[in-house]
Amino acid sequence: MKRDLYEQEHEDFRASAAGFVRTAVAPHWEQWEEDGIIDRAAWTAAGRLGLLGVAVPEELGGGGVADFRYRTVLIEELCAIGANSFNASLSVQDDLVMPYLVDLGTDEQRTTWLPQLCRGEAIGALALTEPGAGSDLRGIRTTARRSGSGWRLDGAKTFITNGYLADVVVVLARVEPAVDAGAYALFVVPADRPGFGRGRKLDKLGLRANDTAELVFDDVALRDEDLLGIEGRGLAHVMERLPRERMSIAATSAAASAAALDWTRRYCFERSAFGRPIGDFQATRFTLAEIETDVDAATSLLDRAIGLLNAGELTAVDAAKVKYWISDLHQRVVDRCLQLHGGYGYMREYPIARSYADARIQPIYGGTNEIMKDIIGRDIAARAASR
């Protein structure tokens, strides 16, 4: 289906993004997968080309254009070659860490970190999840206690994307004692603060080049100036920014599904069985037809949601619908595409095998799809009750 989402400036940006992926990512990403880490040189290369922080104000080192379409262009180009790990890393930087700093940061926090993050010279992480608290963030145990004119931060976080390489981490903590505004707060924590530590770099099923780590905070001294946003409103600040995170996940699932279809379509007409391409068999053609239609439907839903996001009209319920449906569809697409590859689809030398493993996290992070359905269901119940 022909898309009408992009304009010429986005296609110009795509040319730059495609060149970056071709020269700075494609020759290296398989080695990154083996090593379990992405070379920092790729981050700085992205920064030099202006691919990071497009929505960040120009005076803070960004592009000054709050248009999510630029993000989806880069997502599409990375997913097209199966570089899903690097895409996940950049999504945390661009769709989570930088928006928190732009929206909530003090002048000092913004001028200290945003130019470095936009240049790729600093890597950021968002530390919400804990060993005993995933989707239920009210259960976190990391605490920030008042101490003189500052704070003391104690606790542990897990499943933190970019955690191993991060230079700065936005941390959600429980405030003790709680204030009238609430019991949670966000802090900007530089990784060189005494007491900040990294645990294991986690061994994951997929996204293997992406450094996902455990983080430890052992009596880390923080200043009042390290508070991000309003004391007590940390959890509210997180909830307000979840729709953009969920859109990033949905955009990745749509792009990765399209890439899987493209690899499979080509494979089906290059691979022969019983004297003819397997794409000439009716069963294969029907499967490809179903997958292509599903991908078109997902792309149409995503494009509509991007328009709402850019207009400031995307609700939390809308974002939950888009994230749940497209990430669930992603699972079905890569499964069927792998099946059409036969035994070769199970080999990691084929991108569909790696994409299959990478895809499995999509319905889990950013809030599990069960949580998404609960958000949607509660909205349905509220609307029914108001009639």
Side-chain angles (χ1 to χ4, degrees):
M1 244 180 199
K2 186 178 183 298
R3 297 175 78 184
D4 59 4
L5 179 68
Y6 297 120
E7 299 172 23
Q8 186 56 50
E9 55 263 35
H10 304 107
E11 298 304 335
D12 294 341
F13 183 81
R14 185 184 301 279
S16 180
F20 163 74
V21 170
R22 185 172 57 253
T23 59
V25 181
H28 310 294
W29 79 268
E30 290 192 21
Q31 188 60 53
W32 298 341
E33 290 280 303
E34 292 298 318
D35 295 342
I37 202 84
I38 295 163
D39 193 329
R40 277 183 175 266
W43 289 83
T44 54
R48 282 195 302 272
L49 289 169
L51 301 178
L52 304 179
V54 174
V56 172
E58 288 184 86
E59 64 271 20
L60 294 169
V65 183
D67 181 348
F68 192 70
R69 289 176 290 182
Y70 289 101
R71 284 288 304 123
T72 59
V73 165
L74 183 56
I75 288 169
E76 288 166 4
E77 294 302 314
L78 287 164
C79 288
I81 68 161
N84 303 311
S85 295
F86 194 25
N87 176 62
S89 294
L90 294 182
S91 292
V92 167
Q93 182 104 332
D94 233 307
D95 298 325
L96 300 179
V97 176
M98 286 199 267
Y100 274 87
L101 289 167
V102 169
D103 295 345
L104 302 172
T106 64
D107 287 344
E108 178 189 346
Q109 289 166 345
R110 285 154 54 104
T111 56
T112 297
W113 290 111
L114 284 169
Q116 295 185 66
L117 292 166
C118 289
R119 292 193 299 267
E121 294 170 0
I123 296 173
L126 177 66
L128 306 180
T129 303
E130 298 186 3
S135 294
D136 179 15
L137 291 176
R138 289 178 176 82
I140 65 168
R141 295 185 177 183
T142 295
T143 58
R145 304 182 322 278
R146 273 288 181 186
S147 176
S149 60
W151 304 81
R152 311 300 291 198
L153 183 68
D154 285 282
K157 301 287 184 177
T158 194
F159 305 148
I160 307 305
T161 302
N162 297 346
Y164 200 75
L165 288 178
D167 302 289
V168 60
V169 184
V170 175
V171 180
L172 178 68
R174 182 182 291 274
V175 175
E176 293 186 354
V179 293
D180 290 342
Y184 305 90
L186 291 167
F187 294 89
V188 178
V189 183
D192 61 0
R193 288 286 171 88
F196 174 91
R198 307 178 207 264
R200 296 179 300 150
K201 182 158 66 71
L202 300 171
D203 186 15
K204 307 188 299 295
L205 170 68
L207 300 178
R208 295 185 63 80
N210 169 264
D211 60 300
T212 303
E214 298 170 328
L215 301 180
V216 178
F217 308 96
D218 183 9
D219 199 32
V220 177
L222 299 175
R223 308 167 301 158
D224 259 351
E225 292 81 1
D226 296 320
L227 178 69
L228 182 64
I230 299 172
E231 179 183 348
R233 285 191 52 80
L235 198 57
H237 290 326
V238 171
M239 297 305 171
E240 290 160 2
R241 278 147 198 86
L242 282 174
R244 182 182 175 103
E245 177 183 2
R246 289 166 181 164
M247 281 293 293
S248 180
I249 294 167
T252 295
S253 280
S257 295
L261 171 61
D262 185 52
W263 303 328
T264 304
R265 192 165 40 210
R266 282 187 274 123
Y267 178 84
C268 286
F269 289 97
E270 292 169 356
R271 173 76 171 169
S272 292
F274 305 102
R276 55 179 171 154
I278 63 174
D280 284 345
F281 291 97
Q282 186 184 67
T284 303
R285 290 202 309 271
F286 279 15
T287 301
L288 288 172
E290 291 164 1
I291 295 170
E292 186 165 288
T293 304
D294 282 344
V295 171
D296 280 351
T299 303
S300 296
L301 177 61
L302 177 70
D303 289 357
R304 170 66 176 144
I306 290 170
L308 292 173
L309 179 66
N310 279 348
E313 298 173 2
L314 185 75
T315 67
V317 175
D318 291 334
K321 290 175 180 177
V322 175
K323 189 267 182 183
Y324 132 65
W325 193 80
I326 298 180
S327 63
D328 262 13
L329 176 71
H330 185 190
Q331 311 306 297
R332 299 194 296 274
V333 167
V334 293
D335 182 71
R336 300 184 84 186
C337 287
L338 189 150
Q339 183 72 21
L340 287 175
H341 279 75
Y344 289 104
Y346 203 64
M347 302 298 112
R348 282 188 56 82
E349 65 187 270
Y350 278 74
I352 190 63
R354 292 186 291 259
S355 187
Y356 180 87
D358 292 343
R360 192 58 189 86
I361 190 62
Q362 297 293 103
I364 296 174
Y365 63 10
T368 66
N369 281 3
E370 289 75 18
I371 296 292
M372 299 303 99
K373 293 174 188 178
D374 190 56
I375 291 169
I376 299 162
R378 281 190 277 113
D379 178 69
I380 293 169
R383 284 186 281 119
S386 67
R387 288 176 183 168

